[in-house]
Amino acid sequence: GRLTKFKNVASLIPIFRNYLNRIDPNAKLTIVGDGEEKKYIQDLIDKYNLNKSIILTGKLPHSEIKKKLIENDIFLMPSKGEGVSVSVAEANSLGLPVICYDVPGLNEQILSGINGYIAKENKNDFYGKILKTTINWKELVLSSFEYSKKFAISKVTNVIIENIEEL
């Protein structure tokens, strides 16, 4: 992923710090990507002494990203807007519930309580959705995986072919 201000990844650091302090001191956060905000994110990690809890991988090849997704339980998407997010679709296809803000694109891709949760655009609500996801995690994993099947490449290809044939 791209670590830019628009992607808003730095906002996850205090949210995750709060989670560590209140809920699970052994939790881990993996941040994959590179960009203009990488140094700022690393500085926040250092400032709050979170180097053992937050892994900032830098840019990874796609095959490694899939491995990282599988190692995690929830996919956090703090972006301020997206089109159709391939990373969200990939996360869901691996059974990862997604937490995102209520922004264009993502608010059409996530169905709250089905394949993740949509938070209001504030850190407290995002944190609350993380808690809600941990409580309902098993159900969300199954429904995220099932929901993603609607977008399997074979189904999408068939719809495209049917539409072309109708022309």
Side-chain angles (χ1 to χ4, degrees), residues 35-51:
E36 65 192 44
E37 289 278 289
K38 185 178 178 185
K39 182 181 179 333
Y40 177 64
I41 293 167
Q42 184 62 60
D43 289 345
L44 286 173
I45 293 168
D46 294 341
K47 175 182 177 182
Y48 296 118
N49 196 25
L50 297 172
N51 288 294

mmCIF file of all heavy atoms in Angstrom, residues 35-51:
data_model
loop_
_atom_site.group_PDB
_atom_site.id
_atom_site.type_symbol
_atom_site.label_atom_id
_atom_site.label_comp_id
_atom_site.label_asym_id
_atom_site.label_seq_id
_atom_site.Cartn_x
_atom_site.Cartn_y
_atom_site.Cartn_z
ATOM 1 N N GLY A 35 6.048 5.092 1.220
ATOM 2 C CA GLY A 35 5.572 6.374 0.736
ATOM 3 C C GLY A 35 5.979 7.520 1.642
ATOM 4 O O GLY A 35 6.723 7.342 2.607
ATOM 5 N N GLU A 36 5.435 8.670 1.336
ATOM 6 C CA GLU A 36 5.822 9.921 2.000
ATOM 7 C C GLU A 36 5.583 9.917 3.508
ATOM 8 O O GLU A 36 6.233 10.639 4.244
ATOM 9 C CB GLU A 36 5.075 11.094 1.363
ATOM 10 C CG GLU A 36 3.577 11.033 1.582
ATOM 11 C CD GLU A 36 2.769 12.001 0.745
ATOM 12 O OE1 GLU A 36 3.056 12.127 -0.459
ATOM 13 O OE2 GLU A 36 1.858 12.626 1.299
ATOM 14 N N GLU A 37 4.656 9.097 3.995
ATOM 15 C CA GLU A 37 4.322 9.071 5.420
ATOM 16 C C GLU A 37 5.095 8.001 6.202
ATOM 17 O O GLU A 37 4.955 7.916 7.424
ATOM 18 C CB GLU A 37 2.818 8.810 5.594
ATOM 19 C CG GLU A 37 1.939 9.968 5.196
ATOM 20 C CD GLU A 37 1.825 11.003 6.308
ATOM 21 O OE1 GLU A 37 1.180 10.722 7.328
ATOM 22 O OE2 GLU A 37 2.386 12.099 6.124
ATOM 23 N N LYS A 38 5.906 7.204 5.525
ATOM 24 C CA LYS A 38 6.575 6.091 6.205
ATOM 25 C C LYS A 38 7.428 6.556 7.379
ATOM 26 O O LYS A 38 7.346 6.000 8.480
ATOM 27 C CB LYS A 38 7.427 5.281 5.222
ATOM 28 C CG LYS A 38 8.032 4.052 5.865
ATOM 29 C CD LYS A 38 8.824 3.230 4.872
ATOM 30 C CE LYS A 38 9.449 2.043 5.557
ATOM 31 N NZ LYS A 38 10.313 1.287 4.669
ATOM 32 N N LYS A 39 8.233 7.590 7.191
ATOM 33 C CA LYS A 39 9.094 8.084 8.266
ATOM 34 C C LYS A 39 8.250 8.608 9.426
ATOM 35 O O LYS A 39 8.547 8.343 10.598
ATOM 36 C CB LYS A 39 10.049 9.165 7.770
ATOM 37 C CG LYS A 39 11.001 9.663 8.863
ATOM 38 C CD LYS A 39 11.924 10.752 8.386
ATOM 39 C CE LYS A 39 12.865 11.279 9.438
ATOM 40 N NZ LYS A 39 12.475 11.208 10.825
ATOM 41 N N TYR A 40 7.183 9.343 9.117
ATOM 42 C CA TYR A 40 6.304 9.871 10.157
ATOM 43 C C TYR A 40 5.667 8.732 10.965
ATOM 44 O O TYR A 40 5.602 8.785 12.194
ATOM 45 C CB TYR A 40 5.228 10.761 9.534
ATOM 46 C CG TYR A 40 4.221 11.287 10.523
ATOM 47 C CD1 TYR A 40 4.604 12.143 11.552
ATOM 48 C CD2 TYR A 40 2.881 10.918 10.443
ATOM 49 C CE1 TYR A 40 3.678 12.613 12.465
ATOM 50 C CE2 TYR A 40 1.948 11.386 11.355
ATOM 51 C CZ TYR A 40 2.354 12.235 12.362
ATOM 52 O OH TYR A 40 1.441 12.702 13.272
ATOM 53 N N ILE A 41 5.242 7.693 10.271
ATOM 54 C CA ILE A 41 4.646 6.532 10.942
ATOM 55 C C ILE A 41 5.685 5.857 11.833
ATOM 56 O O ILE A 41 5.407 5.517 12.987
ATOM 57 C CB ILE A 41 4.047 5.552 9.909
ATOM 58 C CG1 ILE A 41 2.839 6.200 9.222
ATOM 59 C CG2 ILE A 41 3.668 4.224 10.559
ATOM 60 C CD1 ILE A 41 2.357 5.479 7.979
ATOM 61 N N GLN A 42 6.892 5.680 11.305
ATOM 62 C CA GLN A 42 7.957 5.068 12.109
ATOM 63 C C GLN A 42 8.285 5.934 13.322
ATOM 64 O O GLN A 42 8.508 5.418 14.421
ATOM 65 C CB GLN A 42 9.217 4.840 11.265
ATOM 66 C CG GLN A 42 10.323 4.110 12.012
ATOM 67 C CD GLN A 42 9.907 2.717 12.460
ATOM 68 O OE1 GLN A 42 9.561 1.866 11.644
ATOM 69 N NE2 GLN A 42 9.941 2.460 13.776
ATOM 70 N N ASP A 43 8.285 7.252 13.154
ATOM 71 C CA ASP A 43 8.532 8.161 14.278
ATOM 72 C C ASP A 43 7.465 8.004 15.367
ATOM 73 O O ASP A 43 7.779 8.035 16.554
ATOM 74 C CB ASP A 43 8.591 9.621 13.805
ATOM 75 C CG ASP A 43 9.840 9.929 12.991
ATOM 76 O OD1 ASP A 43 10.799 9.120 13.015
ATOM 77 O OD2 ASP A 43 9.855 10.983 12.316
ATOM 78 N N LEU A 44 6.201 7.831 14.955
ATOM 79 C CA LEU A 44 5.127 7.615 15.933
ATOM 80 C C LEU A 44 5.321 6.282 16.663
ATOM 81 O O LEU A 44 5.128 6.194 17.884
ATOM 82 C CB LEU A 44 3.757 7.624 15.253
ATOM 83 C CG LEU A 44 3.225 8.972 14.800
ATOM 84 C CD1 LEU A 44 1.933 8.790 13.995
ATOM 85 C CD2 LEU A 44 2.977 9.888 15.990
ATOM 86 N N ILE A 45 5.689 5.256 15.917
ATOM 87 C CA ILE A 45 5.950 3.945 16.514
ATOM 88 C C ILE A 45 7.059 4.060 17.553
ATOM 89 O O ILE A 45 6.950 3.551 18.672
ATOM 90 C CB ILE A 45 6.303 2.905 15.420
ATOM 91 C CG1 ILE A 45 5.090 2.643 14.528
ATOM 92 C CG2 ILE A 45 6.822 1.612 16.037
ATOM 93 C CD1 ILE A 45 5.397 1.856 13.260
ATOM 94 N N ASP A 46 8.129 4.775 17.197
ATOM 95 C CA ASP A 46 9.255 4.981 18.117
ATOM 96 C C ASP A 46 8.837 5.821 19.324
ATOM 97 O O ASP A 46 9.165 5.491 20.466
ATOM 98 C CB ASP A 46 10.417 5.663 17.398
ATOM 99 C CG ASP A 46 11.041 4.798 16.309
ATOM 100 O OD1 ASP A 46 10.838 3.561 16.328
ATOM 101 O OD2 ASP A 46 11.709 5.369 15.425
ATOM 102 N N LYS A 47 8.093 6.889 19.075
ATOM 103 C CA LYS A 47 7.664 7.806 20.140
ATOM 104 C C LYS A 47 6.879 7.070 21.227
ATOM 105 O O LYS A 47 7.061 7.327 22.421
ATOM 106 C CB LYS A 47 6.808 8.927 19.541
ATOM 107 C CG LYS A 47 6.212 9.880 20.550
ATOM 108 C CD LYS A 47 5.344 10.926 19.875
ATOM 109 C CE LYS A 47 4.681 11.828 20.897
ATOM 110 N NZ LYS A 47 3.799 12.817 20.255
ATOM 111 N N TYR A 48 5.994 6.164 20.811
ATOM 112 C CA TYR A 48 5.154 5.434 21.758
ATOM 113 C C TYR A 48 5.741 4.075 22.144
ATOM 114 O O TYR A 48 5.065 3.271 22.774
ATOM 115 C CB TYR A 48 3.746 5.264 21.189
ATOM 116 C CG TYR A 48 3.023 6.567 20.989
ATOM 117 C CD1 TYR A 48 2.619 6.977 19.729
ATOM 118 C CD2 TYR A 48 2.751 7.407 22.074
ATOM 119 C CE1 TYR A 48 1.951 8.183 19.549
ATOM 120 C CE2 TYR A 48 2.095 8.610 21.905
ATOM 121 C CZ TYR A 48 1.696 8.985 20.640
ATOM 122 O OH TYR A 48 1.044 10.180 20.466
ATOM 123 N N ASN A 49 6.985 3.829 21.733
ATOM 124 C CA ASN A 49 7.685 2.591 22.072
ATOM 125 C C ASN A 49 6.869 1.358 21.670
ATOM 126 O O ASN A 49 6.641 0.440 22.471
ATOM 127 C CB ASN A 49 8.029 2.556 23.566
ATOM 128 C CG ASN A 49 9.064 1.512 23.896
ATOM 129 O OD1 ASN A 49 9.864 1.126 23.047
ATOM 130 N ND2 ASN A 49 9.050 1.035 25.127
ATOM 131 N N LEU A 50 6.422 1.333 20.420
ATOM 132 C CA LEU A 50 5.562 0.264 19.913
ATOM 133 C C LEU A 50 6.273 -0.651 18.916
ATOM 134 O O LEU A 50 5.622 -1.409 18.198
ATOM 135 C CB LEU A 50 4.314 0.872 19.261
ATOM 136 C CG LEU A 50 3.408 1.663 20.196
ATOM 137 C CD1 LEU A 50 2.317 2.380 19.412
ATOM 138 C CD2 LEU A 50 2.817 0.765 21.262
ATOM 139 N N ASN A 51 7.595 -0.613 18.901
ATOM 140 C CA ASN A 51 8.347 -1.401 17.920
ATOM 141 C C ASN A 51 8.128 -2.902 18.043
ATOM 142 O O ASN A 51 8.262 -3.626 17.057
ATOM 143 C CB ASN A 51 9.847 -1.083 18.018
ATOM 144 C CG ASN A 51 10.148 0.293 17.484
ATOM 145 O OD1 ASN A 51 9.993 0.541 16.298
ATOM 146 N ND2 ASN A 51 10.536 1.193 18.369
#
